[in-house]
């Protein structure tokens, strides 16, 4: 069905296939038309494929000036991240990069992530502990996160000692920026 003209569009292309998609589904509300472009069954999750999905969407659909296209990726294993980030910058896409991975953002809902968390497996272990022993990235429980979004934003901002950097150099996440944008609508 058509969306009212006043509705802003936010398109989010994610590296992850399930976790990010489920999380952003929790944030849907009537003032924003949220389109999620997660990694598909092809498992093409490298940032170059994520940005290709945004490029394809932008080419297929007419976008308004206030529409936003977001690239949500992780630092963890990608050597070509700076190239992808530069391309996103040139195309005027917005960035929400997590170091080392998206689960840092989820952990921010519960606690301040330790700066020693350099590997995604370590972040997931910490998140599992913070959630009382259970964490399943393919089956998120909205109650674990929706009530603590303000805390997560505050924690992520506190970790973000250089918000002008295109991605967090240390353990941290810029996902708070896309969440703030969604909530501001």
């Amino acid at each position: 069905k058509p969306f009212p003209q006043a509705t802003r569009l936010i398109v989010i292309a994610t590296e992850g296939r399930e976790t990010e998609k489920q999380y952003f589904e929790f944030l849907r509300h009537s003032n924003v038309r949220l389109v999620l472009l997660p990694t598909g069954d092809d498992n093409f999750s490298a940032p170059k494929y994520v940005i290709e999905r945004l490029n394809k969407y932008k080419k297929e659909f007419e976008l308004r000036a206030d529409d936003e296209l977001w690239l949500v990726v992780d630092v963890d294993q990608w050597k070509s991240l700076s190239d992808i980030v530069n391309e996103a910058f040139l195309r005027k896409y917005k960035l929400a990069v997590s170091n080392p991975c998206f689960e840092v953002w989820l952990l921010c809902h519960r606690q301040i992530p330790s700066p020693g968390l350099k590997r995604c497996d370590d972040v997931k272990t910490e998140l599992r502990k913070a959630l009382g022993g259970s964490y399943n990235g393919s089956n998120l429980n909205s109650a674990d996160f929706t009530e603590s979004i303000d805390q997560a934003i505050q924690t992520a901002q506190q970790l973000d000692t250089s918000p002008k950097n295109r991605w967090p150099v240390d353990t941290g996440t810029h996902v708070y920026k896309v969440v703030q944008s969604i909530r501001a609508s």
Side-chain angles (χ1 to χ4, degrees), residues 150-168:
D150 290 335
Q151 175 186 330
I153 290 170
Q154 188 176 1
T155 300
Q157 285 177 316
Q158 187 179 330
L159 287 173
D160 194 9
T161 54
S162 303
K164 296 269 186 258
N165 283 0
R166 293 186 183 176
W167 66 81

Side-chain angles (χ1 to χ4, degrees), residues 44-141:
F44 288 157
S45 64
K48 73 176 188 171
Y49 298 116
V50 179
I51 207 165
E52 281 174 13
R53 287 196 296 277
L54 272 184
N55 293 342
K56 184 178 176 208
Y57 189 93
K58 187 176 182 181
K59 200 161 42 173
E60 283 181 33
F61 298 95
E62 199 172 310
L63 301 176
R64 298 190 332 228
D66 64 339
D67 294 338
E68 295 178 5
L69 291 104
W70 285 84
L71 189 66
V72 177
V73 294
D74 302 343
V75 166
D76 64 1
Q77 62 211 2
W78 307 116
K79 308 282 183 268
S80 63
L81 187 62
S82 62
D83 294 340
I84 300 304
V85 166
N86 287 337
E87 182 181 343
F89 188 74
L90 290 171
R91 293 179 180 272
K92 298 190 176 18
Y93 297 161
K94 296 179 179 284
L95 293 165
V97 181
S98 298
N99 186 0
C101 59
F102 183 78
E103 282 76 6
V104 168
W105 168 248
L106 299 179
L107 187 56
C108 285
H109 286 70
R110 291 281 176 255
Q111 66 189 46
I112 298 170
S114 153
L117 296 173
K118 300 290 183 207
R119 294 184 17 227
C120 195
D121 286 345
D122 298 336
V123 174
K124 289 177 181 177
T125 298
E126 199 62 32
L127 180 59
R128 193 170 289 111
K129 281 191 236 168
L131 293 173
S134 69
Y135 166 70
N136 179 347
S138 59
N139 189 17
L140 295 183
N141 178 356

